[in-house]
Amino acid sequence: MAMGLKNKFLSYNNRLFLIVLFFIWGIIASILVFQYHREKQYKTDFLNAQLQIYNRYMIEAVESGEDYATLINDHKLPFDSLRISIISLNGAVIFDSKLNIDSLDNHISRPEIKHALDNGKGYNIGRQSDSDGHKYFYSATKGNRVIVRTAIPYSDSLHELLEADLPYLWAIIAISIIFSIVAYFTSLRLGKTIVRLNKFAQTAEKGDLIAESEEFPNDELGKISQSIVNLYSNLQKTIAERDHEHEAMLHEEQEKIRIKRQLSNNITHELKTPVASIQVCLETILSSDIQLNDEKRRELLDRCYSNCGRLRHLLNDVSLITRMEEGSLLIAKEEIDITQIINEVIDDTKANNDNFIIHNRLSTPIKICGNRSLIASIFSNLISNAISYSGGCNIYISLITNNDSKCIISVEDDGYGIDDIHLSRIFERFYRIDKGRSRKMGGTGLGLAIVKHAVAFHGGEITATNRDEGGLKFTLSLQKQ
């Protein structure tokens, strides 16, 4: 959001200038800070070096036995108001040129004294004296027997002396301002060319015709920009087509792998029940420990036969779905009459089940180019599904639309219907609303999946809805060519 607002209120020229300006002033600021501290440190070290020379002179004189007061009075001091202290190595003040030593405490904890004891010399800037309350610049030097410490009052003049030279800093700032002005005009010229290039690129990316009245400048960058636009216009279409084909192929391949994996898992699961049942029955029959009469033996053999039939139906259904998915181009099509095929399916159904009344409202021939066995499987599965699971007693087959391009047919029952949450999934492989009842009725769980694939093979779609008066309604369309 913040980036969007930034792009909205700042042109590219201004953004480019701000970036350049940021780097320029970042470098200048780094130089100023570094130079300021370096110069201040240099002046501090120079001042400390002068005091260290005097301290060393005092140490040599004191350790040779000269009198402190006479030595200080006879020798010219390097700085006015210089305070000189002579301190023993244990921190006791032996002599102070400004204060009575009786009023001074032990100096072993003073920072400059600590540094001198550790390193031979030390200094401290602007520390307030615990003895007289004034601020000093301290410099201490360690000898063999004593420490000599000199202190300059930290006045405004000393503070200014230790600060960096302001004229130098102002000169750096002035040069930076000049560089900033040059950077502004340079970024303005460069930014205009890039803005034009950006307009060309956006136009090419949208696929619109490139029409720009303002040409690029006649320089190296302008020529490169024009070439980029021309290349982009041609390559963009090629890349888009390639990516689209690649994504479609990748999606199709992944979907095939997913479906195969799911189908394999479901088949394995569905085979377990009948195989286990057959195994139990056969183990019981073959067991020498169990005495079976003829009736019980017959019952177990009938159960084996029933489960074998269920396995055969399952394998046939799986083979049919696999053939439609992977070998659809090898499935032959011919001119067929849907009305005739539906009548044949109804006759076969009545021969095996007379509890349902099938109302076939198709009276005229409906010719399409399709596969006879697949069309028969569509209506056979829909009718069988209604008989086995609907709980009703009537099936209605009606023609909704019949024109030159397609026909739309509905298959309805007057049963209980199903909950709406199941409507979107009943065409999935092995999906059962009541799993126990479906297996008991001998269903494979692939009937409606076969219907969906067979309808899709004929270029159509199928949907399922609940009827207002009760029951389930399947509406399917079939392309005629």
Side-chain angles (χ1 to χ4, degrees):
M1 185 68 175
M3 183 62 70
L5 292 175
K6 179 180 177 182
N7 293 340
K8 180 178 180 180
F9 293 107
L10 290 177
S11 64
Y12 178 80
N13 303 336
N14 292 332
R15 297 200 304 274
L16 181 62
F17 170 65
L18 290 177
I19 293 173
V20 175
L21 194 65
F22 172 79
F23 281 106
I24 289 176
W25 281 97
I27 295 173
I28 296 300
S30 301
I31 293 174
L32 289 176
V33 172
F34 172 77
Q35 182 62 24
Y36 174 81
H37 288 286
R38 189 181 72 86
E39 187 174 354
K40 185 176 180 179
Q41 186 64 41
Y42 169 77
K43 291 183 176 181
T44 301
D45 292 341
F46 180 75
L47 177 60
N48 181 56
Q50 290 181 293
L51 294 176
Q52 289 288 328
I53 293 173
Y54 183 76
N55 291 348
R56 181 58 59 185
Y57 165 76
M58 288 294 297
I59 288 174
E60 293 176 356
V62 169
E63 292 184 347
S64 65
E66 296 186 32
D67 181 64
Y68 308 146
T70 303
L71 182 64
I72 294 173
N73 292 331
D74 293 345
H75 192 276
K76 183 179 179 181
L77 300 178
F79 295 96
D80 296 335
S81 302
L82 185 67
R83 176 185 169 188
I84 304 169
S85 303
I86 299 176
I87 304 166
S88 66
L89 296 181
N90 61 5
V93 179
I94 302 173
F95 172 81
D96 194 282
S97 63
K98 298 294 184 180
L99 301 174
N100 187 348
I101 63 173
D102 294 334
S103 63
L104 301 176
D105 57 0
N106 192 287
H107 280 35
I108 194 68
S109 61
R110 303 298 195 267
E112 64 278 1
I113 302 300
K114 287 183 177 181
H115 292 157
L117 289 172
D118 295 336
N119 306 312
K121 57 183 177 179
Y123 70 88
N124 191 275
I125 304 174
R127 182 177 66 80
Q128 186 175 8
S129 173
D130 294 336
S131 303
D132 61 6
H134 296 112
K135 288 185 177 181
Y136 291 93
F137 179 94
Y138 293 100
S139 179
T141 307
K142 176 187 174 185
N144 295 326
R145 299 196 305 272
V146 296
I147 298 173
V148 174
R149 185 188 71 177
T150 50
I152 302 175
Y154 200 74
S155 59
D156 293 339
S157 59
L158 179 61
H159 177 75
E160 293 176 0
L161 175 65
L162 296 178
E163 291 295 323
D165 292 333
L166 291 180
Y168 171 80
L169 299 180
W170 284 114
I172 294 294
I173 293 175
I175 294 174
S176 302
I177 294 174
I178 294 174
F179 281 165
S180 299
I181 295 174
V182 173
Y184 172 76
F185 287 104
T186 302
S187 61
L188 181 65
R189 177 179 176 83
L190 180 63
K192 287 183 178 180
T193 300
I194 295 178
V195 168
R196 296 174 197 170
L197 176 62
N198 184 45
K199 291 180 179 178
F200 275 108
Q202 290 178 350
T203 303
E205 185 177 7
K206 294 177 182 178
D208 299 335
L209 294 176
I210 298 176
E212 182 71 29
S213 58
E214 191 174 9
E215 296 182 354
F216 287 102
N218 188 21
D219 54 22
E220 287 77 6
L221 181 59
K223 293 178 181 179
I224 293 174
S225 301
Q226 190 64 57
S227 299
I228 291 174
V229 172
N230 294 337
L231 289 173
Y232 190 87
S233 178
N234 295 328
L235 291 178
Q236 189 270 338
K237 296 180 180 179
T238 304
I239 293 173
E241 293 176 358
R242 182 201 64 188
D243 291 344
H244 179 72
E245 292 177 358
H246 177 73
E247 290 178 2
M249 292 175 62
L250 182 61
H251 177 74
E252 182 179 356
E253 187 65 25
Q254 290 176 342
E255 186 66 16
K256 286 182 178 180
I257 294 173
R258 185 191 67 81
I259 292 174
K260 286 181 180 179
R261 186 183 299 114
Q262 183 184 36
L263 182 60
S264 298
N265 293 336
N266 291 336
I267 291 173
T268 302
H269 179 73
E270 291 296 325
L271 288 174
K272 287 180 180 179
T273 301
V275 170
S277 179
I278 293 172
Q279 183 178 2
V280 170
C281 292
L282 292 177
E283 287 176 351
T284 303
I285 294 172
L286 296 175
S287 175
S288 60
D289 298 333
I290 302 175
Q291 298 298 324
L292 300 175
N293 55 36
D294 293 340
E295 183 180 355
K296 189 63 177 179
R297 188 182 299 274
R298 178 69 181 180
E299 179 185 346
L300 293 174
L301 290 174
D302 288 341
R303 189 179 302 174
C304 289
Y305 181 79
S306 175
N307 280 286
C308 287
R310 181 179 173 187
L311 288 175
R312 179 175 56 81
H313 288 305
L314 177 61
L315 294 175
N316 288 339
D317 289 346
V318 170
S319 175
L320 180 58
I321 289 182
T322 303
R323 188 159 61 96
M324 284 189 289
E325 286 183 342
E326 300 184 353
S328 59
L329 297 178
L330 302 178
I331 299 177
K333 287 185 176 182
E334 59 181 344
E335 186 178 75
I336 55 177
D337 184 356
I338 293 180
T339 303
Q340 179 185 355
I341 295 174
I342 292 176
N343 288 329
E344 293 175 357
V345 171
I346 293 174
D347 292 339
D348 291 340
T349 303
K350 288 181 178 180
N352 299 316
N353 192 309
D354 56 0
N355 295 329
F356 258 72
I357 301 175
I358 302 177
H359 305 271
N360 183 14
R361 297 169 178 172
L362 276 64
S363 56
T364 59
I366 303 174
K367 300 293 183 67
I368 69 168
C369 181
N371 182 271
R372 174 177 290 275
S373 62
L374 293 183
I375 293 296
S377 70
I378 291 174
F379 294 98
S380 176
N381 278 294
L382 290 177
I383 293 173
S384 298
N385 186 75
I387 293 173
S388 300
Y389 309 117
S390 70
C393 57
N394 289 281
I395 297 176
Y396 305 94
I397 302 176
S398 306
L399 178 63
I400 299 175
T401 301
N402 184 28
N403 53 40
D404 294 337
S405 60
K406 67 179 180 180
C407 65
I408 300 177
I409 301 172
S410 67
V411 179
E412 309 171 55
D413 63 68
D414 61 350
Y416 306 119
I418 62 175
D419 292 338
D420 292 340
I421 59 173
H422 299 296
L423 289 175
S424 62
R425 302 192 60 188
I426 59 175
F427 295 103
E428 296 179 9
R429 298 179 174 114
F430 300 107
Y431 183 80
R432 291 184 173 94
I433 299 172
D434 184 348
K435 297 182 179 180
R437 183 167 179 264
S438 298
R439 288 193 174 95
K440 184 177 180 181
M441 298 298 294
T444 64
L446 293 173
L448 293 182
I450 291 174
V451 171
K452 181 180 179 180
H453 280 75
V455 170
F457 175 80
H458 289 87
E461 296 179 348
I462 183 169
T463 58
T465 56
N466 282 308
R467 301 171 71 227
D468 295 335
E469 57 271 38
L472 198 61
K473 177 181 179 180
F474 292 91
T475 304
L476 61 99
S477 63
L478 299 170
Q479 297 293 328
K480 290 194 171 182
Q481 298 297 328

